[in-house]
Amino acid sequence: MQRTIPCVLMRAGTSRGPFFLRDWLPADDTARDEALIGAIGASDLLQVDGVGGGSTLTSKVAIVSRSSHPGCDVDYLFAQVGVGQKSVDTRPNCGNMLSGVAPFAIEQGLVPARDGETTVRVFNVNTRSRIDVTVQTPGRRVRYEGDTGIDGVAGTAAPIRLNFLDAWGSVTGSLFPTGRRIDTIDGIEVSCIDAAMPLVIIRARDLGLSGREMPAELDADTALLARIEAIRCAAGQAMGLGDVSGSVVPKPVIASEGDDADSVTSRYFTPRRCHASHAVTGAIGVATAYALPGTVISSDARRTGVRSIAVLHPQGRIEVEVAIEGAGDEARVQRAALVRTARKILQGDLHLPPYVFSKDPEGDKPMKRLIAPALAAALATAAPMVLAYPDKPITIVVPTAPGGGNDAMARVIGQKLGPLLGQTVIVDNRAGANGAIASEFAARAAPDGHTLMFGYIATHAMNPALQKLRYDPVADFAPVGLVGYSPTLMVANTSVQIKDVKDLVAQLKAKPDRYTYASAGNGTAPHFAAELFKLNAGVVMLGAPYKGSAPAITDTIGGQTQFMFPSLYTALPHVKAGKLRALAVAGPQRSALLPDVPTLKEAGVDGVDVRQWYGFFVPAKTPKPIVDQLNKALNQVLADKEVVKRLAEHGADVQASTPEEFGALVKSELAKWKSVVQRAKLTAD
């Protein structure tokens, strides 16, 4: 059976691809991806059996729907379809295809056109960011003809203005995800930046290049491509993205001087081939790195206010208007705007070949979600709304910034959880207020199983024990299952002049407040462990609360603070790399990964037992069949030897549970830490 679906083929910016309403495609994401593979003709390099053009630039897809997000008009999901391989990747974003979203949405009746011009607020599902797209609409009709030209496209067309509102840190949660503006990888200085698209930027001269080489020349240098890929993969780990060898982000950029003080030359990779021109999202990232001080390509001209920066690429230039606020290390890009054009090429019915589908399509209607037999049996008596679960991407809300132990653990599990549930899993970092921001958000999400929270000892025991919050860790959540435990480690900056814990205690008693400890925020495990250490050792030490463990551990490595009590999962890589010194384990026994490191009790300070635990929650009132299905999938992931190995390598011991067992643990831990708060007279200040 051949399947027929509506389609609009558009040239958007310097890219081209089919645009679909979400309702035009199969409801099941597996069948949806198969339909996209068939539409593009991804099965062969020339893509002769579809509308692709044998290039990643012409193998792009835009999926548009009415927005489910407050204040936004439409949702835009970008998909990169493979060239010569049956793959669909919805992890990256494409700013060029974005320029066609507003015209498409207006013409499909999702957004009413205004007379003159119409601004459509687009929510990009891939990066969870908002963009205002302004289109020319004289007489309330989209106008494609005009006098605006963009490099890389023949002719001229009507201008389409893209105004990126919150693209900074949209994927990793931080503009500079590693906590630094310059990192050294494989002996090369790089800047890892997340501005519209996660990038790793390398100076051309550090690779022995001028930076003006053409794409074909760069693509022919296999040794260069291998080195860039090695740097990219290492940068992905440092940015908290995990193993990126099978992903297209972060994107590598080779940068060099521009033609003047307001331009920079860029060679953008996709990521294993040099882009024929340049991605829009990549241009935003390059312009941001150029405008801000302290990166490998920072401009000598330090200006605040609105500034126009030209990103020079092999086929011309992209003008990016950035609004800069503040100076020095406090400088921030508040918004970025640029102009693209788009053109509707054709509109009609797209015929998909039957060989791309793993199951027979159901006529010309969107296919219903296929439910696994085990899930179907579990949900047989549930309400009709439950039968469709899961019917959209699943979001894991992480209460800490990217790069820390919680984030890394959630991403390891999320990568395996998605295929079991048949949906894309998105990690949404919502750091701040010591986990309260993420907890409040997750507690108030729809109780349909599409929003999970990666909670831990701080969000569901310590912080609620310390202060009154706008969420109840027991009443507002349904526990899904325990993930495991990680001991707390006492670490020190390597330059601190102490012999051991006993020497530290002696120095602090002789000179109180001599040292400062870092924590992931008040009410977190590193905070409680440090305060218990002070209480039981009878010493005074200043505390510096941070917004998450990643920046706290970064400053401890850098010497701004001298001590910290992170989880073993967070600290172990830095200890092994010689960046931190492990002093003691804040738990009942030594760690097999650091057998020579004593417990605090062995070091002379008893009573500091802080074993951190982690687990998944969903909002209260989530139907029990959904909770049970999630628990089953989670426990299947935790039984995966690869997952166990990856977590164990960082010091986390996997331990699965039932929802009921995990719920009992949360209640007992909450009572335990309320008692500690009273004994230690701790406050949130």
Side-chain angles (χ1 to χ4, degrees), residues 207-243:
L207 294 173
L209 303 171
S210 69
R212 301 293 178 115
E213 291 82 0
M214 296 304 290
E217 182 181 351
L218 296 172
D219 290 345
D221 191 338
T222 55
L224 172 68
L225 294 180
R227 188 174 191 191
I228 293 174
E229 178 63 9
I231 292 173
R232 186 185 78 87
C233 289
Q237 291 281 1
M239 296 168 79
L241 297 172
D243 181 4

Side-chain angles (χ1 to χ4, degrees), residues 289-523:
Y290 187 67
L292 296 178
T295 74
V296 295
I297 58 167
S298 292
S299 167
D300 292 334
R302 306 291 168 80
R303 307 174 191 167
T304 57
V306 177
R307 180 183 181 188
S308 182
I309 296 172
V311 177
L312 309 182
H313 58 76
Q315 295 191 25
R317 59 200 288 138
I318 298 176
E319 298 283 349
V320 182
E321 182 183 276
V322 297
I324 306 162
E325 184 178 274
D329 291 341
E330 300 302 317
R332 293 290 182 270
V333 173
Q334 299 300 313
R335 62 174 178 82
L338 49 81
V339 172
R340 298 275 87 187
T341 65
R343 188 176 77 86
K344 182 165 65 174
I345 298 173
L346 62 85
Q347 179 170 347
D349 291 334
L350 184 65
H351 299 269
L352 304 176
Y355 63 79
V356 298
F357 292 102
S358 56
K359 296 183 180 296
D360 288 337
E362 298 178 7
D364 289 337
K365 297 179 180 179
M367 289 191 292
K368 297 178 181 178
R369 165 157 293 284
L370 301 172
I371 303 176
L375 176 58
L379 303 181
T381 59
M385 63 161 283
V386 179
L387 290 174
Y389 176 79
D391 64 355
K392 58 184 178 181
I394 294 170
T395 298
I396 297 178
V397 179
V398 176
T400 56
N406 298 46
D407 176 69
M409 206 177 300
R411 291 180 187 276
V412 168
I413 295 170
Q415 287 174 359
K416 297 285 187 176
L417 198 60
L420 291 177
L421 296 173
Q423 283 290 349
T424 299
V425 172
I426 301 168
V427 174
D428 183 4
N429 295 88
R430 291 180 177 261
N434 311 324
I437 290 176
S439 301
E440 291 171 21
F441 174 82
R444 287 156 181 73
D448 58 7
H450 290 97
T451 301
L452 282 67
M453 180 176 180
F454 189 75
Y456 70 121
I457 189 173
T459 57
H460 284 70
M462 289 178 165
N463 202 20
L466 183 66
Q467 59 186 322
K468 185 173 179 59
L469 301 168
R470 291 187 293 181
Y471 71 93
D472 188 306
V474 175
D476 291 341
F477 291 91
V480 172
L482 181 66
V483 167
Y485 295 90
S486 180
T488 296
L489 194 65
M490 183 181 187
V491 298
N493 175 275
T494 55
S495 64
V496 177
Q497 299 299 309
I498 60 166
K499 297 177 182 177
D500 49 27
V501 172
K502 290 182 180 179
D503 185 25
L504 170 63
V505 171
Q507 289 190 35
L508 287 172
K509 286 185 175 180
K511 188 176 180 181
D513 289 349
R514 179 174 183 176
Y515 297 117
T516 301
Y517 75 84
S519 77
N522 292 335

Side-chain angles (χ1 to χ4, degrees), residues 79-98:
Q80 179 68 63
V81 182
V83 179
Q85 59 181 8
K86 297 179 180 180
S87 65
V88 176
D89 193 349
T90 56
R91 288 168 292 185
N93 181 24
C94 178
N96 275 302
M97 290 292 280
L98 171 65

Side-chain angles (χ1 to χ4, degrees), residues 538-562:
V539 297
V540 177
M541 185 163 48
L542 296 173
Y546 287 79
K547 294 181 179 180
S549 62
I553 209 162
T554 296
D555 271 13
T556 305
I557 292 171
Q560 288 86 347
T561 54
Q562 291 76 51

Side-chain angles (χ1 to χ4, degrees), residues 2-151:
Q2 182 163 278
R3 185 179 180 81
T4 302
I5 58 175
C7 171
V8 176
L9 185 66
M10 298 186 71
R11 190 272 301 164
T14 55
S15 297
R16 191 193 73 209
F19 281 64
F20 301 103
L21 290 179
R22 182 63 185 90
D23 292 343
W24 294 349
L25 295 167
D28 175 72
D29 279 2
T30 298
R32 177 205 69 187
D33 289 352
E34 291 171 344
L36 300 184
I37 288 168
I40 293 294
S43 303
D44 68 271
L45 288 170
L46 296 179
Q47 299 179 333
V48 296
D49 206 28
V51 298
S55 164
T56 56
L57 304 184
T58 54
S59 304
K60 300 174 181 289
V61 174
I63 302 172
V64 183
S65 58
R66 294 187 189 277
S67 184
S68 58
H69 297 84
C72 295
D73 298 309
V74 297
D75 289 345
Y76 156 53
L77 176 66
F78 167 71
Q80 179 68 63
V81 182
V83 179
Q85 59 181 8
K86 297 179 180 180
S87 65
V88 176
D89 193 349
T90 56
R91 288 168 292 185
N93 181 24
C94 178
N96 275 302
M97 290 292 280
L98 171 65
S99 61
V101 170
F104 174 78
I106 293 170
E107 292 191 330
Q108 296 303 320
L110 299 185
V111 180
R114 296 176 178 272
D115 189 14
E117 65 178 30
T118 303
T119 297
V120 178
R121 178 155 292 181
V122 178
F123 181 84
N124 179 233
V125 178
N126 310 77
T127 60
R128 305 189 69 79
S129 60
R130 300 165 303 149
I131 310 96
D132 279 347
V133 183
T134 302
V135 183
Q136 302 300 304
T137 52
R140 301 181 186 275
R141 295 176 64 87
V142 174
R143 184 177 71 186
Y144 292 101
E145 298 78 15
D147 299 324
T148 300
I150 60 173
D151 291 326

